[in-house]
């Protein structure tokens, strides 16, 4: 009975998708989403033959909306797996108005899926570092609009940052209007005593206010709790690192209770500082909505993912910063593209990556070396164009899952 219901539902919705696409004269590849989380693609559509009256389409779609079938069909053993990140479909089916996103994480047949409003996505991101808070309100919005238009047109679909103050409601609003998802940062000071109950309580109160203020923002994709905290502490075997990791698990669970609609990422330097976090994770029962991010400025991304400590944990990963250190200016564009290819070769476990960094004008001295654009927002060299071409090629090939 369940098999028959799923097939009937798929048939109706696939025909409805075809009908609407004919009306709009759109010939692009698409995904059609039911009220649950199942993505119907052209491959699915071809599996169903024949004609269907519009009344039946409406009837079946209405039945699905009122039933749990759509919610659970994605775990059944049908050839209906959502392809990764159909950017054309995302643009064609953009929501008519800004609304909070619902981001799910799940593990399907050994792969980690990152789902934004039901659609599987790849995080093609860039770290946004241009300091805008000193600008007047109108000038700040204009600068954000200029940069985010350029970021989106280059094929990126997400941004992350490091400053809580910069990543406010205004930035999230402009990002969402330009089709960008945002990883919002929360600073966790490595000099704090995370074994101190009063410190932990104070931080959780601040986190509560932060989540409450931003969780309804339409551009929000993920919460970013801390960056390179264990790295800044030095030795990952120190008691301070263990105390921090214990607090991090408390904070992750706290954020999840406050907002069950967005995952949480913690970021650190490469894979060297995983140990205290991995040990704390073994004592907790967290779902796949906790993501471990790694920042790489070396050429060992592939090696680390295949043979490093993260290869031995069942955990969704994110390359939260990447940039090629030690290359000549002429070799920079291809070096970035090579790093991105290394990330995508491990797509079953790695949700995507974020280029370091958008602008040569930023708070870090390294920004002058790694920035994709100059302080006026113009491309610094050919790297931005090379990444845009790499993304376009990947999207044109359908960004297939392995």
């Amino acid at each position: 009975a369940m098999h028959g219901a799923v097939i009937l539902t798929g048939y109706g919705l696939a025909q409805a998708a075809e009908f609407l696409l004919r009306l709009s004269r759109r010939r692009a590849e698409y995904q059609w989403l039911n009220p649950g989380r199942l993505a119907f693609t052209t491959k699915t559509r071809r599996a169903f033959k024949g004609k269907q009256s519009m009344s039946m389409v409406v009837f079946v779609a209405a039945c699905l909306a009122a039933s749990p079938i759509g919610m659970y069909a994605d775990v059944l053993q049908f050839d209906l797996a959502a392809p990764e990140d159909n950017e054309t479909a995302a643009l064609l089916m953009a929501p008519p108005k800004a609304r909070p996103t619902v981001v799910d994480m799940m593990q399907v047949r050994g792969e980690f899926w990152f789902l934004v409003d039901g659609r599987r996505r790849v995080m093609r991101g860039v770290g946004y570092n241009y300091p805008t808070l000193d600008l007047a309100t109108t000038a700040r919005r204009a600068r954000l609009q200029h940069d985010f238009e350029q970021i989106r047109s280059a094929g990126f679909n997400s941004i992350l940052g490091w400053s809580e103050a910069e990543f406010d409601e205004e930035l999230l609003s402009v990002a969402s209007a330009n089709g960008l998802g945002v990883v919002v940062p929360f600073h966790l000071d490595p000099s704090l005593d995370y074994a101190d109950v009063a410190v932990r309580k104070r931080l959780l109160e601040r986190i509560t206010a932060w989540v409450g203020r931003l969780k309804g923002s339409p551009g929000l994709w993920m919460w970013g709790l801390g960056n390179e905290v264990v790295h800044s502490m030095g030795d990952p075997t120190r008691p301070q690192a263990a105390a921090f990791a214990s607090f991090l698990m408390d904070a992750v669970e706290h954020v999840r209770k406050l907002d069950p609609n967005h995952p949480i990422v913690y970021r650190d330097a490469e894979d060297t500082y995983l140990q205290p976090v991995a040990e704390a994770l073994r004592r907790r029962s967290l779902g796949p909505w906790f993501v471990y991010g790694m920042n790489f400025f070396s050429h060992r991304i592939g090696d680390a993912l295949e043979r490093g400590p993260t290869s031995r944990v069942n955990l969704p990963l994110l390359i939260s910063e990447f940039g090629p250190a030690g290359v000549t200016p002429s070799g920079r564009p291809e070096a970035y593209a090579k790093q991105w290819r290394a990330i995508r070769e491990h797509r079953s476990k790695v949700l995507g990556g974020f280029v370091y960094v958008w602008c040569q004008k930023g708070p870090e001295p390294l920004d002058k070396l790694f920035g994709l654009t100059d302080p006026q927002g113009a491309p610094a060299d050919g790297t931005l164009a090379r990444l845009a071409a790499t993304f376009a090629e990947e999207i044109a090939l359908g960004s297939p899952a392995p």
Side-chain angles (χ1 to χ4, degrees), residues 13-60:
L13 283 184
Q15 293 299 317
E18 186 173 47
F19 173 81
L20 293 175
L21 285 167
R22 280 203 308 270
L23 286 181
S24 64
R25 297 173 186 262
R26 298 241 171 101
R27 300 302 181 194
E29 184 180 354
Y30 66 94
Q31 292 172 319
W32 186 258
L33 302 177
N34 69 18
R37 297 183 303 201
L38 185 60
F40 286 86
T41 68
T42 48
K43 179 180 178 181
T44 307
R45 181 169 58 82
R46 288 195 298 269
F48 299 99
K49 304 295 184 181
K51 299 295 181 182
Q52 177 81 339
S53 70
M54 196 59 202
S55 59
M56 179 59 77
V57 171
V58 173
F59 172 75
V60 173

Side-chain angles (χ1 to χ4, degrees), residues 16 30 51 54 61 92 102 221 257 268 327:
Y30 66 94
K51 299 295 181 182
M54 196 59 202
L92 290 178
V102 176
W221 274 14
K257 289 176 183 176
D268 218 315
V327 299

Side-chain angles (χ1 to χ4, degrees), residues 88-341:
T88 303
L91 292 173
L92 290 178
M93 301 183 68
K97 61 181 180 179
R99 57 183 174 78
T101 56
V102 176
V103 180
D104 286 329
M105 290 287 305
M106 64 174 64
Q107 192 169 15
V108 180
R109 293 185 291 276
E111 292 184 11
F112 286 104
W113 286 17
F114 180 76
L115 300 154
V116 180
D117 291 330
R119 184 176 294 111
R120 190 180 182 190
R121 306 299 296 271
V122 177
M123 299 186 83
R124 295 183 179 90
V126 62
Y128 187 71
N129 63 331
Y130 187 85
T132 65
L133 290 178
D134 291 337
L135 301 175
T137 301
T138 304
R140 182 185 185 223
R141 189 171 186 89
R143 178 64 195 231
L144 291 172
Q145 178 64 29
H146 171 273
D147 286 349
F148 292 172
E149 279 183 3
Q150 195 174 4
I151 288 171
R152 192 69 183 96
S153 66
F156 295 102
N157 63 15
S158 45
I159 59 172
L160 60 65
W162 300 267
S163 167
E164 290 173 49
E166 287 279 359
F167 276 63
D168 60 4
E169 296 91 332
E170 177 75 357
L171 182 145
L172 281 158
S173 174
V174 180
S176 175
N178 284 277
L180 296 173
V182 182
V183 180
V184 293
F186 186 90
H187 179 65
L188 292 173
D189 188 344
S191 68
L192 294 177
D193 180 3
Y194 288 93
D196 188 320
V197 174
V199 169
R200 296 165 78 113
K201 181 175 182 293
R202 189 162 58 248
L203 282 172
L204 289 177
E205 289 172 350
R206 282 189 52 220
I207 288 171
T208 299
W210 173 65
V211 172
R213 180 166 54 88
L214 298 178
K215 71 177 182 178
S217 299
L220 176 63
W221 274 14
M222 193 179 287
W223 302 103
L225 282 176
N227 180 56
E228 298 191 354
V229 179
V230 180
H231 165 71
S232 298
M233 289 177 171
D235 184 355
T237 64
R238 295 173 61 191
Q240 292 92 328
F244 165 73
S246 172
F247 169 77
L248 178 63
M249 296 301 103
D250 287 348
V252 166
E253 291 178 330
H254 184 65
V255 170
R256 186 64 178 177
K257 289 176 183 176
L258 295 171
D259 176 23
N261 292 326
H262 299 94
I264 302 107
V265 62
Y266 168 70
R267 303 173 271 168
D268 218 315
E270 300 203 357
D271 56 349
T272 309
Y273 300 94
L274 173 67
Q275 178 187 335
V277 176
E279 290 177 355
L281 274 170
R282 280 194 284 270
R283 292 189 286 271
R284 306 289 178 112
S285 180
L286 298 184
W289 37 264
F290 175 70
V291 181
Y292 191 78
M294 296 180 285
N295 305 334
F296 278 93
F297 292 87
S298 67
H299 300 285
R300 58 179 296 269
I301 292 176
D303 182 70
L305 292 171
E306 290 167 13
R307 288 177 282 277
T310 57
S311 67
R312 297 185 288 275
V313 294
N314 186 38
L315 191 65
L317 305 174
L318 181 68
I319 305 304
S320 40
E321 297 175 18
F322 69 93
V327 299
T328 63
S330 62
R332 207 169 85 105
E334 183 54 36
Y336 268 106
K338 183 177 180 180
Q339 285 185 314
W340 176 253
R341 289 193 296 270

